[in-house]
Amino acid sequence: MKYLGLIPLFLLAGCQSTPTFCEKEPDSNLCDPKTYLYDTEQALKEFEKKKSKKAFALGKAEDGWEFYGYSEGYSSKRKARKRALQECQKRLDMHGSKNKCEVIR
């Protein structure tokens, strides 16, 4: 009984985080860095410098515009992903696009 509290820790230790869109769909246009606009490339470079619990979401409008959102320093990877998606989707929606953003990093 003394060690029952450790069971959830062992179970969680084997869990992996949810894969990003690019891990699931590597052939998608959203995952090909060669197709990114200059601003997106610069944002990704800045994002890579961030420390932990971070996420980067990207969405492309029908007319070729790219919109992104990223977050860092959240208490969980899930929260970071949620925030990055919200930021990206807000911008994509304001542009008038019906497309969806995806977490790519």
Side-chain angles (χ1 to χ4, degrees):
M1 294 298 253
K2 180 176 167 181
Y3 298 104
L4 282 178
L6 295 176
I7 291 174
L9 293 176
F10 290 120
L11 293 174
L12 288 175
C15 293
Q16 294 183 354
S17 64
T18 306
T20 65
F21 178 77
C22 290
E23 291 169 337
K24 293 185 284 186
E25 302 286 336
D27 295 332
S28 169
N29 193 32
L30 283 180
C31 303
D32 184 2
K34 293 179 221 157
T35 67
Y36 295 160
L37 299 176
Y38 178 78
D39 288 345
T40 303
E41 289 176 3
Q42 296 306 306
L44 275 167
K45 286 179 184 176
E46 194 64 32
F47 169 76
E48 294 301 331
K49 296 176 187 175
K50 305 294 181 194
K51 299 242 186 244
S52 65
K53 301 276 194 319
K54 60 184 182 176
F56 190 98
L58 179 66
K60 292 189 179 191
E62 299 82 358
D63 58 5
W65 283 74
E66 291 177 348
F67 297 91
Y68 59 84
Y70 63 86
S71 63
E72 68 164 318
Y74 277 80
S75 60
S76 72
K77 189 76 168 162
R78 182 185 60 78
K79 289 180 181 178
R81 288 176 178 207
K82 181 179 179 182
R83 179 59 183 216
L85 273 174
Q86 287 173 339
E87 291 299 315
C88 178
Q89 197 62 54
K90 178 173 62 174
R91 292 178 177 105
L92 193 60
D93 291 346
M94 285 176 46
H95 185 71
S97 175
K98 300 293 182 208
N99 291 343
K100 296 291 179 196
C101 292
E102 298 287 350
V103 174
I104 62 167
R105 302 232 190 337

